[in-house]
Amino acid sequence: MRIAGVFITIGATVVLAAPPATAAPASTAREVAASATKPGVAYSGVAYGSQVNLLNGTVTSGATAKSWVGCTREGGLQDAQSVAGISIPVVGKTGAVTTLARTTATSTYKRTNTQSQVGKVNLLGGRITADAIKTNSSAYAKSGGTRSGVNTMTFTNLKIGGRSISANVAKNSKITIAGIADVTVNQQSRSTSSTGAYTARTTGLVIRVLPGNTLGLAAGSTIQIASTTATVQDLPENQIYTGTGFSTRVRALSGAVTSSPTAYIGVPCAGGVAKNDVAGVNVPLLISSGTTTTTARGVSESARIYSKVTNTTASPRILGGLITADAVKAETTTSRSKATGKYYRSNTSTFAGLKIAGKSVASADLKANSVVEIPGVATVTVNRQVIGAQTINVTMLRVELLKSVAGLPTGSVIEVGYSGTGLK
């Protein structure tokens, strides 16, 4: 239908009601055979080429060419990604980026391996250059319970502040470019968490911007190049928690991330609580917001286990105020009854004060997967839901551009308020 120049259609996909997490309707439950839980090795890993976090409210680049495997018991998985190059104003540029995340199972060990290779690095006005930087991280769970890890970094013609860096540079070496930045080269760590997760992590370059720098970058801003993380962990069967949430994201038509997920956090695989707060977001001409918070939980109770992710975004403004809201909450829960093995998924997301093209839009007008057309400008999907047997994903506002805006081509996407949960 049409509301004052704004066209609204209701999607013909499944509409999921918003019942309490403990009592989803039968249509959202699936019977599975009950089985005793037993421990086993789970894998997770992530690799990316670069990530830039600026402290002036603008997120310039998220994890580029991000490869990921996670919260899984399956060996033989592989995710490979690549981009032709990266260019970030003031920060710098790179050539081709390739990444890989994979899992391996043999008779003697299980392994998560991640790799990242970044070519033709030129950062901070030529103060940091390299022909290539490559990192590799592996985490092993060996028969008998032993855990071990491997971290490696290699590079070609790395120069920092005009100084050539030795190929056998020590791990976690720190170099200062006077008045510009502190640089950690070959950052490595191996650790075991309180829940037994063994992690190996390697980042080729970690750059932290200094106060008073002449580049105009906010002090404390960070740039990471060639980052890899690999984890192995014993987890009970049928009790692996999954889920992520974030506040905003901007993606170009090519799939490149112009603004990474803000206030991003994931549900800990073994359960527990994780939280991420961001004071505000500002991507000029595209999106801004007030405080954003994401909380992710994996919980085991006497009668059920559940994964829950809640994201709240205050005062989002999209496309210079063409789309606004007082508040947006994206919240989903996936649970499983310990008695029956049934899965339940619920969406308890809300928004307040939503206006599209200056017109107030009531919740009653917007069911799941509602589409609002702003003629010649954008298509807005509200309360976008994707529902699986053991998962649910919700994006509260998904804006697809119908014309080029602020350098983003037609077809690029702006998202506000994402929550996704699941159980394995």
Side-chain angles (χ1 to χ4, degrees):
M1 63 182 176
R2 181 173 181 172
I3 300 179
V6 178
F7 298 92
I8 300 179
T9 58
I10 305 301
T13 57
V14 176
V15 176
L16 180 69
T22 54
S27 62
T28 66
R30 183 173 71 89
E31 188 84 40
V32 297
S35 61
T37 60
K38 57 183 179 181
V41 174
Y43 313 83
S44 59
V46 63
Y48 54 85
S50 67
Q51 181 166 294
V52 179
N53 296 312
L54 303 184
L55 295 187
N56 60 0
T58 300
V59 181
T60 304
S61 175
T64 57
K66 180 180 177 180
S67 295
W68 178 82
V69 292
C71 292
T72 179
R73 293 175 179 273
E74 187 176 352
L77 297 179
Q78 178 172 303
D79 181 31
Q81 302 292 331
S82 64
V83 296
I86 302 162
S87 181
I88 305 166
V90 182
V91 173
K93 61 183 179 179
T94 76
V97 177
T98 58
T99 64
L100 174 69
R102 59 184 176 178
T103 65
T104 304
T106 74
S107 59
T108 57
Y109 67 83
K110 295 184 177 181
R111 180 188 69 170
T112 304
N113 172 249
T114 53
Q115 303 174 28
S116 175
Q117 181 166 320
V118 182
K120 296 297 181 182
V121 175
N122 189 321
L123 303 174
L124 305 184
R127 294 172 177 86
I128 301 173
T129 61
D131 291 337
I133 297 175
K134 183 176 181 179
T135 61
N136 189 316
S137 296
S138 292
Y140 290 86
K142 298 181 180 179
S143 56
T146 303
R147 302 289 185 264
S148 63
V150 175
N151 310 72
T152 63
M153 175 197 175
T154 58
F155 54 81
T156 305
N157 296 329
L158 175 61
K159 293 184 179 181
I160 300 176
R163 168 188 167 189
S164 293
I165 306 303
S166 170
N168 60 356
V169 62
K171 65 180 181 181
N172 302 316
S173 295
K174 294 186 178 181
I175 299 169
T176 296
I177 304 174
I180 300 294
D182 287 331
V183 183
T184 301
V185 182
N186 193 16
Q187 186 181 77
Q188 297 185 13
S189 65
R190 292 196 292 270
S191 61
T192 302
S193 74
S194 59
T195 59
Y198 182 89
T199 299
R201 181 177 289 108
T202 314
T203 303
L205 300 176
V206 180
I207 304 161
R208 184 172 294 274
V209 177
L210 294 175
N213 68 87
T214 57
L215 300 175
L217 296 174
S221 297
T222 59
I223 305 160
Q224 298 181 55
I225 300 295
S227 183
T228 54
T229 302
T231 299
V232 289
Q233 181 176 15
D234 281 328
L235 292 176
E237 187 177 9
N238 294 331
Q239 196 166 318
I240 298 178
Y241 304 89
T242 66
T244 58
F246 61 83
S247 176
T248 65
R249 178 170 63 182
V250 180
R251 293 184 293 173
L253 177 63
S254 63
V257 178
T258 301
S259 173
S260 67
T262 57
Y264 177 93
I265 204 70
V267 178
C269 291
V273 180
K275 186 177 181 181
N276 193 1
D277 298 304
V278 173
V281 176
N282 180 30
V283 182
L285 303 179
L286 296 175
I287 186 168
S288 64
S289 79
T291 301
T292 72
T293 300
T294 307
T295 304
R297 294 180 173 87
V299 179
S300 178
E301 297 177 338
S302 58
R304 65 168 185 159
I305 66 170
Y306 69 89
S307 175
K308 182 176 184 178
V309 174
T310 304
N311 168 263
T312 58
T313 303
S315 305
R317 291 174 54 84
I318 305 171
L319 300 179
L322 193 61
I323 304 163
T324 64
D326 296 331
V328 173
K329 181 177 79 170
E331 183 174 75
T332 64
T333 303
T334 299
S335 62
R336 178 174 60 83
S337 166
K338 291 184 176 180
T340 67
K342 289 182 179 179
Y343 287 89
Y344 302 89
R345 289 87 70 227
S346 66
N347 173 20
T348 48
S349 304
T350 61
F351 61 82
L354 177 63
K355 292 184 178 181
I356 299 177
K359 305 300 180 181
S360 296
V361 182
S363 299
D365 293 325
L366 294 170
K367 298 180 181 178
N369 301 304
S370 297
V371 178
V372 179
E373 296 284 349
I374 305 176
V377 179
T379 298
V380 185
T381 304
V382 182
N383 193 14
R384 183 174 185 263
Q385 300 183 13
V386 179
I387 304 166
Q390 298 167 214
T391 60
I392 178 170
N393 304 291
V394 172
T395 304
M396 288 301 285
L397 292 170
R398 183 184 187 274
V399 181
E400 184 172 344
L401 299 181
L402 299 178
K403 69 174 185 178
S404 177
V405 178
L408 280 182
T410 300
S412 298
V413 174
I414 303 168
E415 296 166 296
V416 176
Y418 173 83
S419 171
T421 53
L423 294 168
K424 295 182 180 179

